[in-house]
Amino acid sequence: MTTDIYDVAIIGGGPAGSTAATLLARAGRRVLVLEREKFPRFHIGESLLPFSMKAFTRLGLHEKFIRAGFMEKFGGEMCGACSDKGVKFYFKDGFGSQTDHSYQVTRADFDKVLLDHAAESGAEVREETSVERIEFPNEHVELGITAKDAAPQTILARYLIDASGRNSIVSNQFKLKKNYEHLKKTSIFAHYDGVERDEGIDGTLTRMVRGIDRWFWVIPLTRERTSIGIVLDAAVFRAAKLSPEDFLAQALAEQPLLAQRMQRAERVSPVHVAADFSYRSTKLHGDRWLLAGDAAGFIDPVFSSGVFLAILAGEQSADALNEVLDHPRKRRRLFARYERIINQAMNVYLRFVDAWYTKEFIEVFLHPQDLLQIPPAVNAVLGGNIGNRFAIKWRMSIFYLLVWLQRYLPLCPRRTLVPKKAPAPSETVRAIS
């Protein structure tokens, strides 16, 4: 057993953990990152939001992103499955916009850039290392760890950030995880080459196609590669009694907006499935620990909020702990403040997601009106502005009111969200063996 003690131990080397590690190490803290896997590894959540750009500047990552070849993303597009055209939104037009772009990333590469950057910034990073036990004696945290081809070891730290993802060790230990029963969704997704795109910056946009009981994402990752997925009620997928591969292929073929663009596409990855991913931890801090990233909660893949919330939590947890390490008496206030900030951000997206799964949301969104600058406010939230400004809050309240009224009054054209029958493609989508 070692008597050496770290200032902060971080479980998980994803965006939340790597962000916190970089900032704390740069502040002169002794930081240890414990990552169960070996990077790079596959992960979903590939579209970044512009309100993370300040954090990337603070972390000093933009040059590395350029060297990695990450695609700049300038906005998004939402479409109804029943129509041929959607509504595009560009980040530069968002209310209070501070940048015109973010990035589309292959997460395996993105996460490795962040984790390597944390190590280069002074954090100690141990990959292929699992945390088997956590205890909280007075004045420190004790972690029992096992590494590949190594004997079990005990690590001591003053504080802990649990950024270990949806299977959060601390959350499971204290039974904090609460699933959202009304959001029991399943996502099925894969990567494709050869998907047709628009020209110019429109070819960088994240596209979402809303159907009556499902929605699709189309995210360009590189010049050739595209991430495509479907999200729907888990019960609908189970009732189909199809393999994930067959279900995804059939669902895409039924959507003319997608089938037309995929006539020459080739699937170049396995088909992945994620289920029951909407949850929240009822508490985000204790005396010696903070939950960050997916360990704190995950709402829904729509609007690409997952990485944004992880980066936000990484920043906020690092700032809180950096001050607490110097001023321990501020711990209770700063930890409570951290929890309020992260919960507020998740609440913004939970309300947005709840509205998104109504037909009225897309009816209102696809009929934008230059009224009280409401579209720019919605654009801002889509870009990661969590609505702290009153100017955005009241405009979003009106937007939600319009969505609610649309249920009873046809303020905007009604839409079936049922796709027209797609013509048979000249070529079927080919898949890797």
Side-chain angles (χ1 to χ4, degrees), residues 82-122:
C82 56
S83 58
D84 296 329
K85 295 182 179 179
V87 170
K88 295 182 174 70
F89 57 94
Y90 301 97
F91 296 139
K92 65 181 179 61
D93 299 324
F95 198 99
S97 174
Q98 299 175 352
T99 181
D100 67 345
H101 71 281
S102 61
Y103 298 100
Q104 309 279 29
V105 300
T106 303
R107 276 293 298 276
D109 299 328
F110 174 77
D111 288 5
K112 182 166 175 55
V113 168
L114 264 62
L115 187 60
D116 289 349
H117 188 66
E120 292 167 12
S121 298

Side-chain angles (χ1 to χ4, degrees), residues 168-185:
S168 162
I169 297 172
V170 170
S171 185
N172 286 335
Q173 183 166 319
F174 293 118
K175 297 180 171 55
L176 303 176
K177 191 173 181 180
K178 173 187 175 184
N179 290 319
Y180 286 112
E181 295 301 323
H182 70 295
L183 291 174
K184 281 191 170 295
K185 306 292 182 182

Side-chain angles (χ1 to χ4, degrees), residues 269-341:
S269 80
V271 173
H272 300 270
V273 179
D276 295 338
F277 41 68
S278 298
Y279 60 90
R280 188 90 157 260
S281 291
T282 56
K283 188 177 180 182
L284 305 186
H285 78 276
D287 287 342
R288 292 274 159 188
W289 54 266
L290 298 171
L291 300 184
D294 286 357
F298 184 84
I299 307 302
D300 195 89
V302 74
F303 313 128
S304 305
S305 61
V307 177
F308 164 73
L309 292 172
I311 298 295
L312 175 68
E315 260 199 303
Q316 294 291 332
S317 61
D319 290 344
L321 282 173
N322 190 44
E323 190 167 353
V324 167
L325 284 163
D326 287 335
H327 307 284
R329 291 183 179 180
K330 294 183 178 181
R331 178 175 62 192
R332 181 176 296 180
R333 177 174 62 83
L334 290 174
F335 281 13
R337 179 178 180 271
Y338 167 80
E339 183 166 296
R340 284 196 305 272
I341 290 171

